[in-house]
Amino acid sequence: MRASQIFIPTLKETPAEAELVSHQLLLRGGFIRRLASGLYTWMPLGLRVLRRVERVVREEMDRSGAQEVLMPVVQPAELWQESGRWEKYGPELLRLKDRHQRDFCLGPTHEEVITDLARREIHSYRQLPVNFYQIQTKFRDEIRPRFGLMRGREFIMKDAYSFHMDHASLEITYQGMYDAYQRTFTRLGLNFRAVEADNGAIGGKRSHEFHVLADSGEDAIVSCNHCDYAANMEKACSPAPAVEQEAWLEAEQVATPGIRSVNGQAKHLGIATRKIVKTVLVLAEDKPYLLLLRGDDSLNLIKAAHALQVEGLRMATPEEAEAATGAPVGFIGPKNLPGSLPVLADLRVLGLRNFSTGANMADLHWVNLNWERDLPRPDAADLREVTAGDACPHCQQGTLYIRRGIEVGHVFQLGQTYSEKMGLSVLDESGRDALVTMGCYGIGVSRVVAAAVEQHFDERGIIWPAALTPFDVGIVAIHARKSPEVAAAAQALHDRLEKAGYSVLLDDRDERPGVQFATMDLIGLPHRVVVSDKVLAQNVWEYRARRATENTLLSEAELMAHLAAGLSGAADQEQQKHQEQAHG
Amino acid sequence: MRASQIFIPTLKETPAEAELVSHQLLLRGGFIRRLASGLYTWMPLGLRVLRRVERVVREEMDRSGAQEVLMPVVQPAELWQESGRWEKYGPELLRLKDRHQRDFCLGPTHEEVITDLARREIHSYRQLPVNFYQIQTKFRDEIRPRFGLMRGREFIMKDAYSFHMDHASLEITYQGMYDAYQRTFTRLGLNFRAVEADNGAIGGKRSHEFHVLADSGEDAIVSCNHCDYAANMEKACSPAPAVEQEAWLEAEQVATPGIRSVNGQAKHLGIATRKIVKTVLVLAEDKPYLLLLRGDDSLNLIKAAHALQVEGLRMATPEEAEAATGAPVGFIGPKNLPGSLPVLADLRVLGLRNFSTGANMADLHWVNLNWERDLPRPDAADLREVTAGDACPHCQQGTLYIRRGIEVGHVFQLGQTYSEKMGLSVLDESGRDALVTMGCYGIGVSRVVAAAVEQHFDERGIIWPAALTPFDVGIVAIHARKSPEVAAAAQALHDRLEKAGYSVLLDDRDERPGVQFATMDLIGLPHRVVVSDKVLAQNVWEYRARRATENTLLSEAELMAHLAAGLSGAADQEQQKHQEQAHG
């Protein structure tokens, strides 16, 4: 295709609205345009990239045996009322009324619709297992849409939903989808990581997130430097150390005037922060809970919510903490706490000896407390965020490290949550009603485009992986309007390359070579071939890979061989890089 | 693909909700399922058909030089307020508010969004002409959604918008799109007709609708039996006959006690209905107009609205008519009408001599009135609906006939309506601001699926055109669960056919042959091959085309030749049929 035939509105300046590199470069390269907050139009170049993502996703879904369907964007409220999410789902669910004042929403996800379809159409164990997927426009009314495609309001998802007679069948499909996701992201040329995630309140047994690794990622993901273990921060854990062996010292109260912080206490008392048990007051639906953590640990609120089996857990304000405990903030502690506040400790707190904590009176702390001797051993669960350097819970040999990731996929065992709420059961082999077990599987198709850019760019622009580039090869015809020979040779090369199966963008615009080169670099095509009077005189082509800094003069046979090797080689390299990372 | 691997929930009974054949058969064949009123899920088989339509549409759009983009479904109200359609567009525009209480709508069309994009991105004549298209989900809140995909609320459109420096450039692209639509619907195997349509109040010069011919069509379309002339009812016209030559008779008033109807008058007065000038009172924004038509003609309200240059024209109630004229309904006439009511006559009324009409008093009519002599000649325009047998306005030789059509496409010259309202201008060659001229072009992608069924079915089910069928060939394996030979031979044939480039559905289900045949007929695959122990013993295949009533025994070489000829032959036949119709 000639550049004069495709609308590529590049920008010289970085738009002020764009913080993330992907947002900046996708705007500057003319891939997308903003219509309104969180709403983007895919321009011709961007849509080419999106379609390539869709194609790989579709091929791998089909290969996995999933069946493509297409459900409506607009969903009736009745189904969400049945599942209970009409109430629970916050303002991110965009609700609307039709002309008859009936309630609907724009689907942020399709569990309700597919479960409704399944209960109407699936009646026998003989119809199971089955796995439906769609690639479809979704809407989530983000309070502050930002980062371009990364967190837009309208976006494109691949979502799949599987139905099973039992958990064993779900496990097989789950693994099949996990493998399909591995193949998908590998084929897309992304450096990614599958990590264990928590199923949370919704039930089900297993879930994994797929993260594209990028410094700008919103999520922290945890990996072991020795084994395959990887998890997100809500799921990642580290073995609690053994109980300390030091001798019990005598407990006593020590004046700590105005000293409310852990660091302040450690300094004032001359002890390590880990020897301090800090208290954190949290609330779920106005019910308070007291959490205990080591002074050197941080609370993970999602872990706490799961451990307490509550939803919507939040930190208490100082006023709420004092009202719930009767003690001044900074001096709250588990010993002799007035009232009957539920207490939950992090597992590592149980291993402490001779620890310090607040005495529930202003300016007073306990030191040298010990469980059982001075206060009862509380219930405990994993509440802390892991930190880099923690021991691996899986192999016990490696240590954990933390990287940033962009979540682009999620596989999730739903179990029977929706089947129960919406009455999805089938007749089993013995003719009895049996609740159906479900899984769901998402890929953020439009987000993949942004994530790929976050991982593949330099100061000049985007560097598309071979599988995602809008065109395989860019041809720059130098002063083509003045040189009919250049114009003809560039067009002929374009035609030969397209015939050889490459998609080609021929820059035939009446622009200075510097502008042409800058455009090619900005839009990130992997291969660039320059056609000028000079190279024509030498009977060669001037080639440069997008990542290279030098030109190479190649005969056409060499160019063809180079492209063929480059495209397959690029894929191999990406795959190799991924595998190294996966075991790195 | 094996039938056991694709979910095809066929129904034996015709769902009570479905009136139209396409709605019935698409539900019965398991192509679609209803989620809520006007909202449908595309099941695996239906989605395969939809994708085939999309593919042909996309290929022909690309071939025409249009560039594919993808705009959001959710659109900000501000743009619709700018164009004036936020007020004008009725309750079919589904309006909604986001969490910040800002107004949005679900796009039923994208003129505003694309015009906004163009005014941001297009600044110079050098960037024109350009033509953007998308294939996208749209929403129109129909008051009474019905007929399945034919008039759903959520549906899939291909919509294109072109931008030009002048009308001559628009004409070129308009013709290009017209040609692309001809190619598209021809390739899809549809018997269709392009008809002239009226541009109405929106301005612009030309528009054409593309109709699939089907008895169930909602629209009447008019064609000449001698030339290419074709138009919809709002646009179709017929030459007014010459002024009658009979001698003037003496005008007089005749008592017509209680005789209000045209037929009643004709009988009572002993004259032809065409000699009666009937009056029709209409209102636009509460302003009344008196229309005059021959007694044997019918008013086309849309023609009248265009002639009067008003919007929202409607018939007056009897009370409104009497209030506006001061005369009793049934006896209203243009002679000595009290007040200053605007009067507009149909062109054919002017040709009358010695006509009859109401005398504006109860039970009294005039007879033998003549223009100029008895009352002034009124302004006139084409207000009547053409009828079968009218003379052709184009060739003047043929006569018109009327068929039913389903509108599946529309090409439309918008002119400068949106450019003016939304301020879309560019610098011309001399550096001056110039308003941009626009065209728009739609195809009802999901409606095409239903329209194809309305045109291609029999009592047993759907008969898909070759271009639309979800699978090219269906293989029925008889008692495959009991005969390993049949199962293996059917699978091997399936594999060979797929390798030869056909998409194949292999019915390997554990069903009676009668059920298998009925399913194949219902879902409408063009070619059926039966594999049974009997035919294996004869070393042949049992073949039947969907339209045939007899089986043919074929060797595999014969089968392959037959399929190859059948697929290309079918396309040829369709094309030939279309051409015959177009000139028929």
Side-chain angles (χ1 to χ4, degrees):
Chain A
M1 178 165 292
R2 294 209 300 275
S4 55
Q5 293 171 323
I6 178 169
F7 193 76
I8 308 177
T10 56
L11 304 174
K12 282 191 191 120
E13 307 294 328
T14 298
E17 73 197 74
E19 290 173 55
L20 278 192
V21 163
S22 59
H23 192 189
Q24 294 170 357
L25 291 178
L26 289 169
L27 285 170
R28 283 192 53 213
F31 292 85
I32 58 169
R33 280 297 181 264
R34 180 181 179 277
L35 168 63
S37 175
L39 302 177
Y40 290 87
T41 292
W42 293 83
M43 301 299 289
L45 210 55
L47 189 61
R48 290 178 72 97
V49 178
L50 184 71
R51 294 281 186 241
R52 295 190 84 157
V53 179
E54 287 181 4
R55 192 178 139 193
V56 172
V57 169
R58 184 170 282 123
E59 285 174 1
E60 293 299 339
M61 282 301 108
D62 291 343
R63 188 172 152 192
S64 78
Q67 300 186 37
E68 189 171 2
V69 297
L70 185 61
M71 293 178 263
V73 175
V74 174
Q75 305 183 3
E78 288 78 6
L79 296 180
W80 288 71
Q81 284 156 354
E82 273 192 75
S83 75
R85 293 207 292 181
W86 187 255
E87 299 300 326
K88 272 192 195 167
Y89 217 104
E92 290 188 0
L93 184 67
L94 188 55
R95 295 147 216 256
L96 52 101
K97 284 179 192 293
D98 74 359
R99 65 192 293 164
H100 304 298
Q101 298 303 308
R102 283 191 293 251
D103 286 314
F104 290 84
C105 65
L106 292 189
T109 176
H110 278 70
E111 280 85 1
E112 282 81 359
V113 173
I114 197 81
T115 305
D116 178 60
L117 182 78
R119 70 182 169 182
R120 291 166 188 261
E121 305 297 336
I122 300 179
H123 306 293
S124 158
Y125 73 97
R126 294 174 58 183
Q127 294 171 283
L128 299 181
V130 66
N131 189 6
F132 295 113
Y133 80 96
Q134 63 175 350
I135 297 177
Q136 196 244 20
T137 300
K138 301 232 181 295
F139 201 94
R140 195 173 45 205
D141 200 4
E142 297 275 354
I143 188 164
R144 208 175 301 109
R146 57 197 168 144
F147 304 148
L149 301 179
M150 202 68 88
R151 194 167 280 283
R153 296 202 281 180
E154 194 173 315
F155 55 99
I156 296 173
M157 284 280 290
K158 186 285 298 177
D159 47 330
Y161 307 89
S162 68
F163 300 87
H164 309 269
M165 283 307 291
D166 52 36
H167 186 76
S169 167
L170 169 61
E171 276 289 349
I172 293 168
T173 297
Y174 184 85
Q175 187 62 44
M177 294 301 275
Y178 182 96
D179 295 343
Y181 278 35
Q182 292 275 358
R183 292 194 304 269
T184 301
F185 295 121
T186 301
R187 281 182 63 186
L188 291 172
L190 299 172
N191 183 9
F192 70 98
R193 201 71 204 266
V195 305
E196 292 176 20
D198 203 294
N199 283 47
I202 210 166
K205 293 195 178 163
R206 291 211 292 159
S207 85
H208 285 87
E209 293 168 356
F210 288 75
H211 287 266
V212 167
L213 301 176
D215 293 340
S216 59
E218 281 193 278
D219 296 314
I221 62 175
V222 179
S223 308
C224 173
N225 66 0
H226 185 74
C227 77
D228 275 348
Y229 178 76
N232 67 12
M233 287 301 275
E234 287 76 62
K235 179 77 174 178
C237 59
S238 183
V243 176
E244 293 174 341
Q245 293 303 318
E246 63 186 54
W248 283 353
L249 302 177
E250 192 169 343
E252 54 181 320
Q253 291 186 330
V254 178
T256 48
I259 299 174
R260 289 183 165 83
S261 73
V262 167
N263 285 335
Q265 289 169 47
K267 194 172 165 192
H268 182 79
L269 301 171
I271 58 175
T273 53
R274 69 173 177 81
K275 283 289 198 186
I276 295 167
V277 171
K278 65 180 175 190
T279 59
V280 182
L281 214 101
V282 292
L283 295 169
E285 289 179 359
D286 296 332
K287 183 176 176 194
Y289 301 86
L290 191 70
L291 306 180
L292 307 181
L293 286 112
R294 268 181 26 181
D296 58 343
D297 284 340
S298 295
L299 172 67
N300 185 301
L301 206 56
I302 294 171
K303 282 185 176 177
H306 297 171
L308 295 169
Q309 294 185 292
V310 296
E311 286 183 55
L313 197 68
R314 65 177 177 85
M315 306 289 278
T317 63
E319 294 72 25
E320 288 171 331
E322 294 188 356
T325 60
V329 165
F331 301 95
I332 300 170
K335 182 172 165 63
N336 300 331
L337 190 70
S340 59
L341 206 56
V343 175
L344 184 68
D346 176 62
L347 290 168
R348 286 154 66 102
V349 166
L350 298 190
L352 291 175
R353 286 206 174 166
N354 302 321
F355 57 86
S356 165
T357 193
N360 293 318
M361 291 178 60
D363 301 337
L364 199 65
H365 277 81
W366 281 102
V367 295
N368 296 333
L369 289 182
N370 284 288
W371 300 118
E372 307 288 357
R373 185 191 71 179
D374 304 312
L375 69 177
R377 187 185 301 267
D379 288 340
D382 178 30
L383 304 178
R384 77 181 271 273
E385 290 214 330
V386 299
T387 56
D390 281 356
C392 172
H394 184 62
C395 68
Q396 315 271 347
Q397 292 181 280
T399 54
L400 301 180
Y401 62 104
I402 297 177
R403 285 182 292 187
R404 307 301 299 178
I406 300 164
E407 188 187 338
V408 290
H410 198 172
V411 293
F412 199 99
Q413 298 188 346
L414 286 169
Q416 301 184 326
T417 308
Y418 288 92
S419 308
E420 263 174 35
K421 291 195 169 145
M422 297 182 64
L424 167 58
S425 62
V426 299
L427 295 182
D428 67 13
E429 286 195 59
S430 57
R432 275 185 292 252
D433 264 347
L435 268 188
V436 169
T437 297
M438 290 172 59
C440 70
Y441 319 91
I443 289 180
V445 173
S446 43
R447 181 182 272 196
V448 161
V449 176
V453 175
E454 290 295 330
Q455 202 174 66
H456 299 87
F457 70 94
D458 63 14
E459 68 290 351
R460 289 176 289 136
I462 300 170
I463 308 171
W464 289 112
L468 288 179
T469 183
F471 293 94
D472 299 319
V473 182
I475 298 177
V476 179
I478 306 287
H479 299 313
R481 302 285 162 112
K482 290 177 199 152
S483 167
E485 293 77 20
V486 166
Q491 183 67 48
L493 177 63
H494 166 279
D495 296 348
R496 288 194 298 276
L497 287 170
E498 292 232 315
K499 204 170 168 191
Y502 301 106
S503 59
V504 184
L505 180 68
L506 165 55
D507 188 352
D508 58 345
R509 295 174 304 160
D510 187 16
E511 293 279 7
R512 287 181 295 111
V515 171
Q516 291 179 298
F517 294 147
T519 299
M520 281 292 175
D521 284 347
L522 176 60
I523 67 174
L525 310 190
H527 305 282
R528 182 180 92 187
V529 182
V530 175
V531 181
S532 63
D533 283 322
K534 196 173 130 200
V535 303
L536 288 180
Q538 296 178 264
N539 201 26
V540 291
W541 303 117
E542 186 182 300
Y543 170 81
R544 189 190 286 196
R546 175 62 181 81
R547 287 186 187 276
T549 51
E550 298 291 333
N551 295 325
T552 319
L553 297 178
L554 299 175
S555 71
E556 181 144 335
E558 287 169 336
L559 173 66
M560 287 293 186
H562 198 90
L563 290 179
L567 285 184
S568 62
D572 289 350
Q573 275 173 25
E574 292 287 350
Q575 193 156 3
Q576 201 181 343
K577 196 163 83 183
H578 157 66
Q579 283 166 349
E580 280 165 14
Q581 292 282 0
H583 300 97
Chain B
M1 177 166 292
R2 294 209 300 274
S4 54
Q5 293 171 323
I6 179 169
F7 193 76
I8 307 177
T10 56
L11 303 174
K12 281 191 193 123
E13 306 294 327
T14 298
E17 74 197 73
E19 291 174 53
L20 278 192
V21 163
S22 60
H23 192 189
Q24 294 169 356
L25 291 178
L26 290 169
L27 285 170
R28 284 192 53 213
F31 292 84
I32 57 170
R33 280 297 181 263
R34 180 181 180 277
L35 169 62
S37 175
L39 303 177
Y40 290 87
T41 292
W42 292 84
M43 302 299 288
L45 210 55
L47 190 61
R48 290 177 73 98
V49 178
L50 183 72
R51 294 283 187 241
R52 293 189 86 157
V53 179
E54 287 181 5
R55 192 178 140 195
V56 172
V57 169
R58 183 171 281 123
E59 284 174 2
E60 292 300 339
M61 283 300 109
D62 291 343
R63 186 171 154 194
S64 79
Q67 300 185 37
E68 189 171 2
V69 299
L70 185 61
M71 293 179 262
V73 175
V74 175
Q75 305 183 5
E78 288 78 5
L79 297 180
W80 288 72
Q81 284 155 355
E82 272 191 76
S83 75
R85 292 208 290 183
W86 188 256
E87 300 299 328
K88 272 191 195 167
Y89 217 106
E92 290 187 1
L93 184 67
L94 187 56
R95 294 145 216 259
L96 51 102
K97 285 179 191 294
D98 75 358
R99 65 192 291 164
H100 304 299
Q101 298 303 306
R102 283 190 294 250
D103 286 315
F104 289 84
C105 66
L106 293 189
T109 176
H110 277 69
E111 281 85 359
E112 282 81 359
V113 173
I114 197 80
T115 304
D116 178 61
L117 181 78
R119 71 182 169 184
R120 290 165 190 262
E121 304 298 336
I122 299 179
H123 306 293
S124 159
Y125 72 96
R126 295 173 56 183
Q127 294 171 283
L128 297 182
V130 67
N131 188 7
F132 295 113
Y133 79 96
Q134 63 176 350
I135 296 177
Q136 195 242 19
T137 300
K138 302 233 181 296
F139 201 94
R140 193 172 46 204
D141 200 4
E142 298 275 355
I143 190 164
R144 208 174 303 109
R146 56 197 170 146
F147 304 149
L149 301 178
M150 202 69 87
R151 194 167 280 284
R153 294 202 283 181
E154 194 173 317
F155 54 99
I156 296 173
M157 284 280 291
K158 186 285 299 177
D159 46 330
Y161 307 89
S162 67
F163 300 88
H164 310 270
M165 284 306 292
D166 51 37
H167 186 75
S169 167
L170 169 60
E171 277 289 350
I172 294 168
T173 297
Y174 184 84
Q175 187 61 44
M177 294 302 275
Y178 181 96
D179 295 342
Y181 278 35
Q182 292 275 359
R183 292 195 303 269
T184 300
F185 295 120
T186 301
R187 281 182 64 187
L188 290 173
L190 299 172
N191 183 9
F192 70 98
R193 200 71 203 266
V195 305
E196 292 177 21
D198 202 295
N199 284 49
I202 210 166
K205 292 195 179 162
R206 291 212 292 159
S207 86
H208 285 86
E209 293 168 356
F210 289 75
H211 286 265
V212 167
L213 301 178
D215 293 339
S216 59
E218 280 194 281
D219 297 313
I221 64 174
V222 179
S223 308
C224 173
N225 66 359
H226 185 74
C227 76
D228 274 350
Y229 179 77
N232 67 13
M233 287 301 276
E234 287 76 62
K235 180 76 174 179
C237 58
S238 183
V243 175
E244 294 175 340
Q245 294 303 315
E246 64 187 55
W248 283 355
L249 302 176
E250 192 170 344
E252 54 180 321
Q253 292 186 332
V254 179
T256 48
I259 300 174
R260 288 182 165 83
S261 72
V262 166
N263 285 335
Q265 288 168 47
K267 194 171 166 192
H268 182 79
L269 301 171
I271 57 175
T273 52
R274 67 173 179 81
K275 283 289 198 186
I276 295 167
V277 171
K278 65 180 173 188
T279 59
V280 181
L281 214 103
V282 293
L283 295 169
E285 289 179 0
D286 295 332
K287 186 179 173 190
Y289 301 85
L290 190 71
L291 306 179
L292 308 181
L293 287 111
R294 269 181 24 181
D296 57 344
D297 284 340
S298 295
L299 172 68
N300 185 301
L301 207 56
I302 295 170
K303 282 185 177 179
H306 296 171
L308 295 169
Q309 295 184 292
V310 295
E311 286 182 55
L313 196 67
R314 64 175 177 86
M315 305 291 276
T317 63
E319 293 73 25
E320 288 170 333
E322 295 188 355
T325 60
V329 164
F331 302 94
I332 300 170
K335 182 172 165 64
N336 301 331
L337 191 70
S340 60
L341 205 56
V343 175
L344 185 67
D346 177 62
L347 290 168
R348 286 155 65 104
V349 167
L350 297 190
L352 290 176
R353 283 206 176 167
N354 303 322
F355 57 86
S356 167
T357 192
N360 293 318
M361 290 178 60
D363 302 338
L364 200 63
H365 277 81
W366 282 101
V367 295
N368 297 331
L369 288 182
N370 284 286
W371 300 117
E372 305 290 355
R373 185 189 73 176
D374 304 312
L375 71 175
R377 187 184 301 268
D379 288 340
D382 178 30
L383 303 178
R384 78 180 269 274
E385 289 212 333
V386 299
T387 55
D390 282 355
C392 173
H394 184 61
C395 69
Q396 315 271 346
Q397 293 180 278
T399 53
L400 302 180
Y401 62 103
I402 297 177
R403 285 182 292 187
R404 308 300 300 178
I406 300 164
E407 188 187 338
V408 290
H410 198 173
V411 293
F412 198 100
Q413 298 188 348
L414 286 168
Q416 301 184 327
T417 309
Y418 288 92
S419 308
E420 263 174 34
K421 290 196 169 144
M422 297 182 66
L424 167 58
S425 61
V426 298
L427 295 182
D428 66 13
E429 285 195 60
S430 57
R432 276 185 292 253
D433 264 349
L435 268 188
V436 169
T437 296
M438 290 172 59
C440 71
Y441 318 91
I443 290 180
V445 173
S446 41
R447 180 182 272 196
V448 161
V449 176
V453 176
E454 289 296 329
Q455 205 173 64
H456 299 86
F457 71 94
D458 64 12
E459 69 290 350
R460 287 175 290 136
I462 299 170
I463 308 171
W464 289 112
L468 288 178
T469 183
F471 293 93
D472 299 319
V473 183
I475 299 178
V476 178
I478 305 288
H479 299 312
R481 303 284 163 110
K482 290 179 200 150
S483 166
E485 294 76 21
V486 165
Q491 183 67 48
L493 177 64
H494 166 279
D495 295 349
R496 288 194 299 276
L497 286 171
E498 292 231 316
K499 204 170 169 192
Y502 301 106
S503 59
V504 184
L505 180 67
L506 165 56
D507 187 351
D508 59 344
R509 295 174 303 160
D510 188 15
E511 293 280 7
R512 286 180 296 110
V515 171
Q516 291 179 299
F517 294 146
T519 299
M520 281 294 173
D521 284 346
L522 176 60
I523 67 174
L525 310 189
H527 305 281
R528 183 180 92 188
V529 182
V530 174
V531 181
S532 62
D533 282 321
K534 194 174 132 202
V535 303
L536 287 180
Q538 297 177 263
N539 199 27
V540 291
W541 303 118
E542 186 182 300
Y543 169 82
R544 188 190 286 197
R546 174 62 181 81
R547 287 187 187 274
T549 50
E550 298 293 331
N551 295 326
T552 320
L553 296 178
L554 300 174
S555 71
E556 180 144 336
E558 287 169 336
L559 173 66
M560 287 293 184
H562 199 89
L563 290 178
L567 285 184
S568 62
D572 289 350
Q573 275 172 25
E574 293 287 350
Q575 195 158 1
Q576 199 181 344
K577 196 164 82 182
H578 158 65
Q579 283 165 352
E580 279 165 17
Q581 292 282 358
H583 300 95

